[in-house]
Amino acid sequence: MAISTKDNTRDAIMLLELGISEDGYEFASDIKTALASAEVELSAIASKLNESTSTLKKLTPECDKTDYILAACSGAICGVMDIFLVGKPGESPVGDVTDKWFESRTMDFAKMCGWDDSNNNSLSAAIKHLEKKFKIPYDQRGAGDAASWVFDLSPKNHHFKSLGHNPTLLGLFFSILDQFTNTSHFVSGGELISLQDADGKFELQGKNVPSKLFCGFINWFGHLVSDMSGSSSSKGRGMGIPSPFWSWTNDIIAIKRKLNIPVSEFDKSFNELALEIYKQGYDVRFQAAQAIPVFVNEVLVRSMYSIRRLIRFFTTTEKADRTFSSLWKACEPFSNATVKRMLTVAHGTFCLVDAGDAVARGFITGGGTFNVAGFFMRLNIVGVGRFTISLYGEASRGIKRHSLKEEVVVLRREKIIVADYVEGLKFLAEVYDDKELLLFTQELKESNMYIKAFEKSTLLAEKRNVPKDQILRNKADIDSYFKGGNA
């Protein structure tokens, strides 16, 4: 409850909080204490408001029409680059470049592992050295053995079907498992197949479990490098290791089979689709080729953003005010919402152009039906993944902006209310500067002799010219007042 005393001469009101407990009455502290507390609260609200406003500004893109046009043009140019320079496996000028790059890296890795190229400086010799160096038990090719007709393994598909050859976390797991148990796991026809005692000559190096785990990881990685450009017996381009994205179709089937979850027809169909495009050359080398126009798009957009802001900085900033920190703050193309919005537009445009071409080629090569394999071979999965990341970022920033806008509105209202409260307390502190009479609050808090405290309260009310019939002189008057006049 609250007791009010009205000063008829100044038409001002003072509110004092009064609580009733088992021990008696409890009053709030004096005005100066309340004023100090309110000023601290006002300072905290102002600080939090400034912080929220600054964060909201960082999350809000400030793109103009030129920014959107430049971003869309970058996406369209890189989309055309993807159509004509990347295309599909076997018809890709950029793919030929990435194939040669992977061949060079394989030979460099072989030299690091002790390969002597003085006698035979060929890719097949380098691969053969790595295959011997990083021997594993799950390298059944299906050529001339039972696996070729029982499990449909062949040199064209064993890198895809063999789980240990998949460049994924589950591929690493099965590789180490096979090396520890001398087994071979692969996926075929929607089934997870395990060959026991896969290689009688294989022995995993290491004296204890940690050292064996380390050797197992090194064998897995080294054997993947040896297979990036095909095997030592490959003619022509060879069958590399499958792309990480399409390898997950094997992982899904393996996980479901291990957990005794039925494998759906969709899982089997998608796995067969992944195998089909792999056999046509869609491996990790081609996916690296697809990453090039996506990377160029990224660099172009960030460069255009920085160049525009750089020109604006030198034309609008006085020479005396130019510093490296202010220059970097104005041109930095990484952590601000504006460049991220431009990247969303650029990658979205890229995906639109690329997907449109893939759909058109799917119908053209389908002979009256839609060629799904042809569509996915031309669809730039790297670009789709990058665009998805941009969309996720936009959604995340949008949710944060909405939350911060509401928070800023509430903080502004709180700031106004507390500021008005502080001004009111300052006014009351000037008007009611009666320290001795106001000490009755402390006396009521620390003593049961509240009758004398009420006498001081009465004197204070009389001094403020409160009408006699409105003065509350004792607890009975208070009870009667708050009960509507009925004691």
Side-chain angles (χ1 to χ4, degrees):
M1 66 180 69
I3 298 176
S4 66
T5 60
K6 186 174 181 181
D7 188 338
N8 291 332
T9 59
R10 301 195 183 189
D11 196 24
I13 296 176
M14 179 175 70
L15 297 178
L16 297 174
E17 295 183 0
L18 172 63
I20 302 177
S21 65
E22 294 180 358
D23 299 329
Y25 296 100
E26 294 181 352
F27 283 87
S29 56
D30 56 48
I31 293 176
K32 288 187 177 180
T33 303
L35 179 60
S37 177
E39 288 178 338
V40 171
E41 183 179 358
L42 180 61
S43 176
I45 292 174
S47 176
K48 191 173 182 180
L49 178 60
N50 291 336
E51 182 181 349
S52 297
T53 304
S54 176
T55 304
L56 179 61
K57 186 177 180 180
K58 291 180 180 178
L59 292 173
T60 304
E62 299 177 350
C63 299
D64 56 22
K65 186 184 295 185
T66 304
D67 288 328
Y68 284 116
I69 292 173
L70 290 174
C73 289
S74 174
I77 292 171
C78 292
V80 173
M81 174 184 174
D82 179 75
I83 292 171
F84 293 102
L85 297 182
V86 177
K88 72 172 186 176
E91 302 176 6
S92 174
V94 174
D96 294 339
V97 175
T98 56
D99 284 357
K100 291 181 179 179
W101 185 87
F102 274 97
E103 289 176 4
S104 298
R105 301 293 75 76
T106 300
M107 295 174 73
D108 291 341
F109 184 73
K111 291 177 183 178
M112 289 175 55
C113 297
W115 174 52
D116 183 7
D117 62 336
S118 58
N119 295 326
N120 186 0
N121 187 18
S122 66
L123 176 64
S124 60
I127 293 175
K128 185 176 292 185
H129 173 80
L130 292 176
E131 288 175 345
K132 291 180 179 179
K133 189 80 173 178
F134 303 101
K135 190 171 178 58
I136 40 85
Y138 50 82
D139 204 24
Q140 292 79 23
R141 293 177 171 83
D145 55 31
S148 62
W149 56 273
V150 176
F151 305 118
D152 191 30
L153 280 182
S154 68
K156 279 199 168 186
N157 64 25
H158 90 280
H159 282 172
F160 183 87
K161 290 189 173 186
S162 174
L163 291 173
H165 286 89
N166 291 181
T168 62
L169 289 176
L170 201 66
L172 172 61
F173 169 79
F174 275 103
S175 173
I176 293 179
L177 175 65
D178 289 343
Q179 292 181 65
F180 265 87
T181 59
N182 192 18
T183 56
S184 177
H185 287 84
F186 53 91
V187 172
S188 183
E191 299 291 337
L192 176 61
I193 300 168
S194 174
L195 293 179
Q196 304 299 317
D197 194 18
D199 188 344
K201 299 179 181 179
F202 177 78
E203 181 180 354
L204 181 60
Q205 300 297 315
K207 297 181 180 180
N208 50 41
V209 173
S211 62
K212 286 180 179 292
L213 285 173
F214 177 77
C215 291
F217 172 79
I218 295 299
N219 281 342
W220 174 74
F221 178 78
H223 194 78
L224 285 183
V225 175
S226 73
D227 286 336
M228 285 193 308
S229 298
S231 62
S232 57
S233 59
S234 297
K235 296 180 180 180
R237 185 173 183 266
M239 306 303 297
I241 59 176
S243 74
F245 175 81
W246 292 106
S247 296
W248 280 102
T249 61
N250 281 335
D251 296 344
I252 291 171
I253 292 176
I255 292 172
K256 284 189 172 183
R257 287 302 183 191
K258 280 292 184 182
L259 298 177
N260 294 322
I261 300 174
V263 177
S264 66
E265 288 300 322
F266 176 79
D267 296 331
K268 294 179 182 179
S269 299
F270 210 60
N271 183 251
E272 289 297 324
L273 171 65
L275 176 60
E276 176 62 27
I277 64 175
Y278 168 76
K279 289 193 292 186
Q280 296 188 42
Y282 196 122
D283 56 12
V284 72
R285 293 172 292 177
F286 181 71
Q287 196 147 80
Q290 286 189 329
I292 292 176
V294 179
F295 178 74
V296 171
N297 195 17
E298 190 92 7
V299 172
L300 273 178
V301 171
R302 294 185 187 274
S303 298
M304 289 187 293
Y305 171 86
S306 292
I307 291 171
R308 285 200 70 206
R309 271 67 188 177
L310 182 67
I311 295 173
R312 185 184 301 172
F313 177 81
F314 281 103
T315 55
T316 59
T317 306
E318 296 294 334
K319 190 173 182 179
D321 299 329
R322 295 173 188 169
T323 62
F324 179 78
S325 60
S326 61
L327 173 64
W328 178 251
K329 185 177 180 180
C331 305
E332 181 261 317
F334 298 107
S335 60
N336 63 82
T338 302
V339 73
K340 291 178 180 178
R341 174 62 60 82
M342 292 177 65
L343 286 169
T344 302
V345 173
H347 290 300
T349 305
F350 173 85
C351 288
L352 186 64
V353 174
D354 174 66
D357 172 71
V359 170
R361 300 296 181 98
F363 280 112
I364 293 172
T365 59
T369 60
F370 186 68
N371 186 348
V372 179
F375 167 78
F376 278 107
M377 279 196 297
R378 288 188 173 273
L379 182 66
N380 194 311
I381 299 296
V382 179
V384 173
R386 181 61 184 88
F387 181 51
T388 303
I389 293 173
S390 290
L391 289 179
Y392 173 79
E394 289 291 335
S396 177
R397 288 189 294 275
I399 293 171
K400 290 179 182 178
R401 282 199 305 270
H402 179 73
S403 176
L404 281 173
K405 284 179 181 178
E406 293 183 347
E407 183 179 337
V408 166
V409 170
V410 172
L411 287 173
R412 285 174 178 169
R413 290 175 180 172
E414 288 184 4
K415 185 179 179 181
I416 293 172
I417 292 172
V418 176
D420 290 343
Y421 176 59
V422 169
E423 291 300 319
L425 287 176
K426 288 180 179 179
F427 174 75
L428 290 176
E430 293 177 1
V431 173
Y432 296 93
D433 189 16
D434 299 310
K435 296 181 180 179
E436 293 183 1
L437 292 178
L438 289 176
L439 285 175
F440 74 95
T441 60
Q442 190 67 23
E443 292 182 14
L444 283 179
K445 182 184 297 184
E446 299 177 355
S447 173
N448 291 327
M449 300 178 66
Y450 53 82
I451 296 176
K452 292 182 179 181
F454 268 107
E455 290 177 357
K456 291 186 178 181
S457 174
T458 301
L459 291 175
L460 182 63
E462 289 175 349
K463 184 178 179 180
R464 299 289 182 256
N465 296 323
V466 177
K468 293 183 179 181
D469 58 345
Q470 296 183 16
I471 298 177
L472 306 180
R473 301 178 182 276
N474 49 47
K475 185 176 183 299
D477 289 345
I478 294 174
D479 293 340
S480 177
Y481 175 80
F482 284 103
K483 291 179 181 178
N486 300 319

